[in-house]
Amino acid sequence: MTRGSVRYDDLSLVTMAKSALNYLRGNPEPARNYECKFSLGPLGIPAHVPLLPPNTDGFDPIALGDTDCRMDWQYPHMRAMAGERVPDNVELGVRRRVHSYQHADGLLWMTPAAWGGTLQAPSVLEGLKHKWASSWASGKWLISLTEEYDRTGDKRFAEEARAVFLALAKLLYWDGKRAYLPYGTAPWRNGEWLHMRDSDKSSGWGGEHSHNYPFIVEPMVRYWECCGDDEALQLARAIADGHLDCVQPEMDELRIDPQTGRFARHVHLHTHEIWGVAHLGVVTGEARYMDWAGRAYRFVVSQGTDYGWYPEYIPQPEYRSEICVVGDMTSIAACLARGGQPEHWDQVERNVRNILRHSQFSLTPAFVALFRKIHHGRPQAEVEQALAELRKLEGGFVAQPAFDEWVGFPGPNMGAPGLYANGIQMMGCCPPEGMRGLWEAWQGIVQERTEGVFVNLAFSREHAAANVTAYEPAAGRLDVQARRAGSYFLRPPTWAEPATVTLCRDDADSRIEWGGPANAYVVCRAVRSGEQLRLGWPVPRFTQVFVPQSVPGRSEKLTVHWLGNKVLGVEPRGQYLPMFEDGR
Ligand SMILES: [Zn+2]
């Protein structure tokens, strides 16, 4: 689509959300009571092979209390973006499943495969015979209930949310006025924690996660934000103060250095909690929370790229990302932006425009060609059937892309079934977290504040306060149709030289007045409803060369070709299914 000689932006968040709904509805298995799939490897036949052995509670037991809880959040978000008002049976089924984990004590209980690791340690094997309460799953359920109250105004959801909040509060330990969970995300049962020593390598990721940060501040802040329970805000402060003052024991190198933001190991277990502290900074206006979150955020950026690729581990044996981290980093960037640092909206745009857009899974001609090639020895009907099944996963996200490549795990057995063996890792935690990144961007485009209507991002959206039309990144142009009278604040990219920014009001050149947080906005006063505002800026085309961090001992340079916030190409180029094809 074009307007004059300038083309509209071909990125549509609405289209991405509609595609995401296809995945959210295609992943759960109705015949297994809407159990969700974690272990997805789309180049394999079949694409779904459980990483851990099935047990009495689940066929792919890692999904329980993790993948399903994450997906439960995103159905309503993606429907809101796509303009669908009514939940379908799959959404209702997943909601019922997650609700069924809740016991009378308010907490969610399940077989803790998601926290158990690879099941080798005797203590883990014994523990997995029981159901355990999960603060991780319960915190996610607290947000689900809270947002359901926010959407419907039905007080029963607020009351149920308070019960979960009180149950979570009982799990906390205290150090003076600071609160903490002693073993991070470790499950709890009858006063015991299923924690594993990291030195016991056979305990896998469970050993590490039970000494990492919990996921607790964001649920408390979000619950307070929607339900107004001041006890939750006080508790969020107490927990965040514990993080800032390092009261959780036995964290060792997993601890975030309060001075530098540096930490080691699994990144998502850190960024998921940093997000909550950043959010707490926004709602309280307290700089120390923003500063702590900002330092850790910048450390993660320093270990990744500027276009939204962040490492799964620091350090790690090869360059692998995790879309869960991209979702978290997008949420943290949005919080920092809302908290008075609007330049971070540019990073929100870069994450969505580059990584999330190009890792959203679909049966592209290149994927189908590769699929047929590696399965050329199989009967054609079997290959066609497998491709038809894969349609259900379209709209999910490739979980571990390399810098410019869907195939993060190439090898001689590419196409063999298995989460890693097939070549494209698509673990179920990641697709809904990628969707959270889309949701953050969608909510950030137009922001209504007491000073007026803010347009923060160059993405198209029809909003009650403004119709925003984005143009292709090369155009350096954003059109805003005001839908009410008052002041409008339009943000050009941070890198745009202020003297070169232009404003037209109803096609007439207008004087530029800067204002808003950090003086980052072009202010339009006394705007009429229906008035057309047009913001313009010159767009730089440049090349960035750097040595990616996160893999010790490797020093190969990465070259990124940029057009404003858009990546045109990356070198070395992906070998099998490159992500950036727009030319160099
Ligand atoms: Zn993930």
Side-chain angles (χ1 to χ4, degrees):
M1 293 256 291
T2 62
R3 179 168 180 164
S5 60
V6 187
R7 279 188 296 190
Y8 293 124
D9 190 2
D10 63 1
L11 186 155
S12 163
L13 288 170
V14 173
T15 302
M16 291 179 79
K18 286 179 178 170
S19 184
L21 280 171
N22 177 74
Y23 173 87
L24 289 173
R25 290 164 180 168
N27 174 305
E29 184 56 62
R32 283 197 288 267
N33 191 22
Y34 297 98
E35 185 184 311
C36 296
K37 300 183 183 77
F38 172 84
S39 311
L40 293 169
L43 280 175
I45 300 179
H48 183 216
V49 182
L51 180 68
L52 301 185
N55 60 34
T56 51
D57 295 319
F59 177 69
D60 189 358
I62 299 175
L64 277 59
D66 183 71
T67 300
D68 42 22
C69 291
R70 298 177 193 265
M71 288 172 59
D72 181 53
W73 283 0
Q74 299 309 328
Y75 290 99
H77 294 167
M78 295 301 103
R79 277 196 293 108
M81 291 172 68
E84 290 192 29
R85 302 180 73 86
V86 183
D88 76 335
N89 284 337
V90 178
E91 176 176 343
L92 295 172
V94 171
R95 169 68 46 116
R96 269 199 312 277
R97 163 175 277 280
V98 174
H99 194 184
S100 77
Y101 299 149
Q102 193 170 19
H103 284 195
D105 65 1
L107 297 171
L108 271 57
W109 292 65
M110 69 286 304
T111 312
W115 298 273
T118 39
L119 307 184
Q120 298 303 309
S123 61
V124 183
L125 289 171
E126 180 58 31
L128 285 167
K129 293 177 182 167
H130 308 285
K131 286 188 169 60
W132 293 68
S134 165
S135 62
W136 176 269
S138 303
K140 291 188 177 298
W141 182 234
L142 175 55
I143 291 181
S144 289
L145 292 168
T146 290
E147 295 198 337
E148 201 60 36
Y149 169 67
D150 193 44
R151 282 185 290 267
T152 63
D154 186 336
K155 287 213 161 46
R156 281 175 303 178
F157 292 113
E159 286 161 12
E160 287 181 40
R162 175 154 171 89
V164 180
F165 161 68
L166 291 174
L168 280 167
K170 276 190 199 162
L171 294 178
L172 291 165
Y173 287 39
W174 288 85
D175 176 337
K177 293 183 174 177
R178 298 164 302 196
Y180 63 99
L181 282 169
Y183 296 105
T185 63
W188 175 94
R189 182 172 176 271
N190 302 333
E192 288 185 30
W193 301 88
L194 187 69
H195 70 96
M196 291 148 275
R197 287 305 314 168
D198 190 33
S199 56
D200 182 0
K201 294 298 180 196
S202 61
S203 66
W205 70 80
E208 179 175 338
H209 288 3
S210 61
H211 294 281
N212 213 321
Y213 288 90
F215 176 64
I216 189 80
V217 174
E218 176 60 21
M220 301 280 173
V221 175
R222 189 74 181 121
Y223 166 58
W224 169 81
E225 195 170 48
C226 296
C227 299
D229 187 337
D230 287 335
E231 280 178 55
L233 192 65
Q234 285 174 21
L235 210 49
R237 283 176 183 272
I239 300 164
D241 289 345
H243 294 333
L244 269 60
D245 292 345
C246 307
V247 301
Q248 185 182 326
E250 300 178 38
M251 292 189 80
D252 302 329
E253 78 274 23
L254 304 178
R255 193 186 309 287
I256 295 169
D257 184 326
Q259 304 298 320
T260 64
R262 176 174 285 275
F263 62 84
R265 309 292 282 272
H266 192 260
V267 177
H268 171 48
L269 265 287
H270 290 84
T271 50
H272 218 41
E273 185 67 351
I274 295 164
W275 163 32
V277 177
H279 194 174
L280 181 65
V282 176
V283 301
T284 61
E286 288 198 26
R288 62 208 186 98
Y289 299 131
M290 295 288 281
D291 291 348
W292 183 86
R295 278 191 288 274
Y297 168 87
R298 286 191 296 277
F299 169 68
V300 175
V301 174
S302 78
Q303 303 296 300
T305 71
D306 294 314
Y307 63 84
W309 187 102
Y310 308 106
E312 182 193 25
Y313 275 88
I314 302 170
Q316 53 184 355
E318 69 263 312
Y319 295 115
R320 52 162 86 169
S321 186
E322 182 179 4
I323 294 298
C324 285
V325 179
V326 182
D328 290 339
M329 290 293 279
T330 307
S331 291
I332 298 167
C335 286
L336 296 173
R338 289 174 191 276
Q341 302 169 37
E343 67 274 17
H344 290 291
W345 288 121
D346 278 332
Q347 190 64 56
V348 171
E349 180 181 339
R350 287 197 287 269
N351 291 0
V352 171
R353 192 175 285 290
N354 301 308
I355 284 294
L356 292 181
R357 181 181 195 185
H358 293 292
S359 61
Q360 191 167 31
F361 178 73
S362 69
L363 297 195
T364 63
F367 174 87
V368 172
L370 178 64
F371 192 86
R372 290 191 199 285
K373 185 177 163 197
I374 60 182
H375 294 300
H376 70 275
R378 288 174 178 263
Q380 191 178 354
E382 191 184 342
V383 173
E384 297 309 317
Q385 173 61 27
L387 283 168
E389 275 295 306
L390 284 177
R391 290 267 174 221
K392 295 180 186 169
L393 303 182
E394 286 190 302
F397 288 83
V398 172
Q400 297 207 312
F403 294 119
D404 179 32
E405 176 63 85
W406 279 9
V407 182
F409 299 88
N413 296 323
M414 206 193 299
L419 178 64
Y420 293 90
N422 83 96
I424 296 180
Q425 217 270 27
M426 198 163 157
M427 54 185 162
C429 49
C430 285
E433 300 297 4
M435 293 171 205
R436 179 155 54 84
L438 304 184
W439 178 242
E440 291 286 9
W442 181 253
Q443 290 185 295
I445 297 168
V446 179
Q447 199 185 359
E448 296 182 85
R449 300 164 57 125
T450 50
E451 311 95 295
V453 176
F454 282 66
V455 177
N456 296 306
L457 281 160
F459 289 130
S460 296
R461 175 174 180 181
E462 290 186 11
H463 184 279
N467 282 340
V468 180
T469 305
Y471 289 79
E472 60 178 342
R477 173 176 169 182
L478 186 68
D479 287 3
V480 176
Q481 183 188 42
R483 299 188 68 180
R484 58 186 58 151
S487 294
Y488 278 70
F489 294 71
L490 314 184
R491 196 188 70 87
T494 303
W495 36 258
E497 179 64 36
T500 63
V501 173
T502 59
L503 174 69
C504 288
R505 295 181 59 165
D506 279 342
D507 284 331
D509 288 344
S510 181
R511 190 181 65 83
I512 298 272
E513 175 194 343
W514 295 93
N519 237 21
Y521 293 82
V522 171
V523 189
C524 308
R525 299 194 187 278
V527 173
R528 290 178 298 100
S529 180
E531 189 170 335
Q532 287 283 352
L533 313 172
R534 189 170 80 221
L535 194 68
W537 60 88
V539 181
R541 187 185 277 258
F542 62 101
T543 299
Q544 177 192 30
V545 182
F546 65 100
V547 176
Q549 304 299 298
S550 84
V551 179
R554 287 191 64 173
S555 57
E556 305 95 317
K557 288 176 178 163
L558 191 72
T559 302
V560 184
H561 300 279
W562 289 92
L563 177 69
N565 282 330
K566 178 185 171 75
V567 170
L568 299 174
V570 169
E571 294 162 33
R573 191 164 183 262
Q575 189 183 347
Y576 299 97
L577 297 172
M579 296 158 68
F580 303 106
E581 304 260 28
D582 289 355
R584 307 295 191 263

